[in-house]
Amino acid sequence: MTAQPLVKHDAALPTGGPHPHRTAGRLGRALPLVPSVLLLATFLLGPVIWSFYGSFTNSALSGPNAKNPQFIGLKNYVDLMNDPVFPLSLIVTLVFVIVSAIIGQNVLGMSIALLMQRANHVVGSIVGTLVVAAWVLPEIVAAFIAYAYFSNDGTLNQLLALIGVTGPNWLFSFPMVAIILANVWRGTAFSMLVYQAALQDVPTEITEAAMVDGAGGVQRLIYITLPMIKTSISTNLMLITLQTLSVFTLIWVMTKGGPASASSTLPVLAYHEAFQFGDIGYGTAIATIMLVVGAIFATIYVLLLRSEDQVK
Amino acid sequence: MTAPITKAGPGTSSRASRRASGVSVALPGKAVPRLLANVILIVIGLCFLIPLVWMVLASIDPKASYQTQVPQSFTLSNFSAVLTPELAFGPLWNSLLLSLGTAVITVVVAVLAAYPLSRYQARYNKPFMYTVLFGTTLPITAIMVPVYSLFVQFNLLDSLWGVILFMSAAALPIAIWMAKNFMDSVPISLEEAAWVDGASAMKALRVIVVPLMRPGIAVVFIFVFIQAWGNFFVPFILLLSPSKQPAAVSIYAFFGQYGAIAYGQLAAFSILYSVPVIVLYVIISRGVGGSFALAGAVKG
């Protein structure tokens, strides 16, 4: 079991190997790849290309522009730049990703994994199960639970009342706080599992040697453990960033992006523009921007793994 | 949700804790940090548990609200109220069709693709695997608007098959990745014997490789199934008629209509809908994993 997502297998394993059918040409051997190539090209590559093209049209949900959209050049992008909601949505997305994923899930996941090494085994596995439970539930169920928890007469305010505080209407007054906490609750399991696996692969000898040399717990963490799992940290950060970037259901059920656009991340905004205002072209322009942002992160992720040479 | 499966699920940290206890023997005075670690973990655990408690208690409470409260009387009426053909059975059946269809297509296509990638050295292997890796990170939410346009152009809107094919394509990158890694760990020597006997590559795959990597296939299958079962956004956008919608979407419609009154039923419905994936997750993390170590399955 290695920490890294992409597991390097035994070097002795025969990629290549002898050729079963010398008569069958190279093309014949690639034949089993055809169904996957067709599916990926039609349903993933197709929409991505369509996204770039569609963002230059005035395609609409209904009416004459639904079936025969016109090419309108950069108008959607110009409109986006002039739309006050768009910069707000960018900021909301950025805050959501940084606070709930990069800080929240990442740090909490790492902390839980580190604490588990110290703590009682039974306590560790029970807490691990609870953290994973929030993550295994279907997203719509997790979203309802979060909605109930943060609603005005919900559990959080009930708990606050116990200590004499009258809680606010979280979903309305502090929608960002609510969706960020909900996303930390929902997604921390991923980081925890990654770091649990990574920490198991740090050889005890090294940390013990450092301990003999007099390094304290914090020093050992900063100078030994963290550098040794840095690949796991960077891949985890990339993946949770991309996952959080595409969170829709949680926000949609909890706040619908509101009030006004106060918690409207890019996916919610794209949905709103495309399917509620019926402006598919405009929504597609937002989708294209998300794709570009996602592609940048994905490229960094792939390059990171390639530097480790884990793809054969 | 991009859900990875790692061997290091809850309860597999025994190695780590054994190590930690060894350390504490070497250094006396570690008892306090250990107690502190336990206390902090318990607090974190409670924070994760409390929101879940509401769903369980509300589902058996005849007077449920959004508050977490111990029911004054116990009832199963919330469950019986939602266990009707229109509310639960139809949508759950649709969920099953969607998830099974997606999982079967994805696994078959992924295993087929994994064979040449795992067994032959070809120039396209590396670029293909990099493309697949890139594809695993594609934010599906980002392409739903263009996917909708595409479905309109191809007249696939409201088609169960269209949704199944799209969800299969979306699951394929990670499935190919996992299948190739699992296949890499099946020794090639047995196939060599079959090749000598004149078996074709496809026959070797079917008769030798697939049976040997059955646990791996089960992992990919369950993994894809869980994701499809929990998916809300894709059917929400692409399926229009209520009779075709899976539980994720129908539960949302139910919530929209009755969410403010029928809390208990909402909770009961949520539990019924969640149980299958919880069971599958337990199977995958405890059972099937086993000796096969889900190493190849870890995406992140």
Side-chain angles (χ1 to χ4, degrees):
Chain A
M1 182 68 207
T2 41
Q4 277 73 36
L6 318 165
V7 177
K8 195 184 271 180
H9 277 282
D10 241 45
L13 282 177
T15 22
H19 312 306
H21 271 248
R22 284 168 200 286
T23 41
R26 279 160 192 275
L27 276 177
R29 287 207 232 128
L31 215 57
L33 283 173
V34 172
S36 59
V37 171
L38 280 179
L39 265 180
L40 290 172
T42 317
F43 289 100
L44 286 191
L45 189 62
V48 170
I49 294 169
W50 189 270
S51 184
F52 281 90
Y53 168 75
S55 66
F56 297 113
T57 68
N58 63 355
S59 173
L61 193 59
S62 53
N65 292 338
K67 273 276 173 187
N68 298 303
Q70 306 291 311
F71 190 80
I72 55 166
L74 285 169
K75 185 172 180 303
N76 286 323
Y77 291 99
V78 174
D79 288 352
L80 260 183
M81 294 309 147
N82 294 324
D83 187 342
V85 175
F86 180 67
L88 176 73
S89 176
L90 266 184
I91 294 170
V92 164
T93 310
L94 215 60
V95 170
F96 183 64
V97 169
I98 291 174
V99 182
S100 78
I102 295 181
I103 298 175
Q105 294 181 2
N106 185 47
V107 174
L108 187 59
M110 167 88 75
S111 310
I112 296 174
L114 284 168
L115 285 168
M116 277 178 172
Q117 291 196 309
R118 287 267 171 104
N120 179 289
H121 174 48
V122 178
V123 172
S125 34
I126 292 175
V127 172
T129 307
L130 291 173
V131 175
V132 167
W135 174 70
V136 170
L137 288 176
E139 52 181 345
I140 190 90
V141 173
F144 284 142
I145 292 175
Y147 178 88
Y149 185 76
F150 286 102
S151 67
N152 203 14
D153 49 357
T155 309
L156 179 58
N157 283 346
Q158 224 183 328
L159 289 172
L160 288 174
L162 286 181
I163 54 166
V165 178
T166 310
N169 187 351
W170 294 97
L171 296 170
F172 191 78
S173 308
F174 301 99
M176 283 305 285
V177 176
I179 61 170
I180 284 171
L181 287 175
N183 193 44
V184 172
W185 170 74
R186 164 86 174 146
T188 295
F190 185 93
S191 302
M192 181 191 79
L193 293 172
V194 170
Y195 291 135
Q196 258 187 328
L199 289 173
Q200 283 187 4
D201 282 347
V202 175
T204 347
E205 295 77 24
I206 298 179
T207 39
E208 275 168 4
M211 198 150 60
V212 172
D213 289 346
V218 178
Q219 280 176 310
R220 287 202 305 273
L221 179 66
I222 293 175
Y223 295 111
I224 296 169
T225 311
L226 292 185
M228 288 197 74
I229 61 167
K230 66 174 194 300
T231 317
S232 301
I233 297 177
S234 45
T235 51
N236 181 53
L237 283 177
M238 286 301 141
L239 291 172
I240 59 175
T241 299
L242 285 160
Q243 284 164 21
T244 306
L245 200 62
S246 58
V247 167
F248 172 83
T249 310
L250 194 67
I251 303 175
W252 185 249
V253 169
M254 288 178 72
T255 67
K256 284 209 158 52
S261 301
S263 59
S264 185
T265 57
L266 288 176
V268 177
L269 183 69
Y271 175 84
H272 205 68
E273 296 290 347
F275 298 111
Q276 298 203 301
F277 292 151
D279 196 342
I280 296 279
Y282 198 62
T284 309
I286 302 169
T288 307
I289 290 174
M290 272 192 283
L291 277 178
V292 172
V293 174
I296 293 170
F297 277 101
T299 309
I300 301 172
Y301 168 67
V302 173
L303 289 177
L304 270 173
L305 289 174
R306 201 170 70 165
S307 65
E308 299 276 311
D309 196 30
Q310 290 188 318
V311 179
K312 282 189 297 184
Chain B
M1 181 183 86
T2 331
I5 304 137
T6 62
K7 187 69 200 318
T12 51
S13 56
S14 57
R15 225 169 99 209
S17 65
R18 230 181 292 131
R19 220 180 267 160
S21 59
V23 169
S24 65
V25 170
L27 260 199
K30 279 270 161 188
V32 173
R34 193 176 169 151
L35 182 70
L36 193 65
N38 281 326
V39 171
I40 299 175
L41 268 188
I42 290 171
V43 171
I44 293 174
L46 280 177
C47 292
F48 276 83
L49 171 69
I50 289 171
L52 295 174
V53 172
W54 168 77
M55 181 169 72
V56 177
L57 290 182
S59 73
I60 51 167
D61 188 345
K63 292 194 202 110
S65 71
Y66 279 142
Q67 302 226 333
T68 304
Q69 58 202 3
V70 180
Q72 284 168 341
S73 58
F74 169 86
T75 177
L76 284 177
S77 61
N78 290 323
F79 286 93
S80 55
V82 292
L83 278 174
T84 62
E86 314 85 70
L87 272 178
F89 298 129
L92 286 172
W93 173 249
N94 290 339
S95 287
L96 188 69
L97 284 182
L98 278 180
S99 317
L100 265 186
T102 305
V104 169
I105 291 179
T106 308
V107 165
V108 170
V109 173
V111 168
L112 278 176
Y115 192 73
L117 292 169
S118 171
R119 285 344 194 196
Y120 311 129
Q121 214 142 41
R123 253 174 308 155
Y124 56 75
N125 276 12
K126 261 199 170 190
F128 193 90
M129 286 312 278
Y130 276 121
T131 313
V132 164
L133 182 61
F134 193 80
T136 59
T137 63
L138 186 75
I140 296 302
T141 326
I143 59 168
M144 280 324 287
V145 180
V147 166
Y148 177 87
S149 311
L150 211 65
F151 270 54
V152 172
Q153 298 292 326
F154 292 152
N155 269 324
L156 280 173
L157 220 52
D158 207 24
S159 142
L160 219 49
W161 276 107
V163 175
I164 289 176
L165 287 175
F166 173 68
M167 293 212 291
S168 305
L172 254 186
I174 186 69
I176 293 177
W177 190 268
M178 289 160 79
K180 179 190 177 277
N181 279 344
F182 282 128
M183 209 178 276
D184 280 350
S185 50
V186 174
I188 203 169
S189 45
L190 289 167
E191 278 161 273
E192 285 172 337
W195 293 338
V196 170
D197 290 345
S200 71
M202 278 305 103
K203 190 165 183 204
L205 173 65
R206 204 181 63 236
V207 181
I208 297 166
V209 183
V210 167
L212 281 174
M213 60 178 289
R214 221 180 283 146
I217 290 177
V219 168
V220 181
F221 185 91
I222 293 178
F223 181 79
V224 175
F225 188 96
I226 289 180
Q227 289 212 342
W229 183 268
N231 201 321
F232 164 76
F233 199 36
V234 172
F236 179 58
I237 299 283
L238 299 178
L239 291 176
L240 306 176
S241 29
S243 63
K244 290 180 187 167
Q245 270 154 0
V249 181
S250 77
I251 214 173
Y252 176 76
F254 176 83
F255 167 74
Q257 281 172 344
Y258 311 107
I261 30 173
Y263 309 93
Q265 293 179 22
L266 180 66
F269 198 169
S270 298
I271 289 179
L272 289 172
Y273 167 54
S274 304
V275 165
V277 288
I278 294 172
V279 170
L280 285 174
Y281 184 80
V282 171
I283 292 176
I284 209 178
S285 64
R286 298 282 150 92
V288 198
S291 59
F292 219 90
L294 307 181
V298 189
K299 180 211 162 191

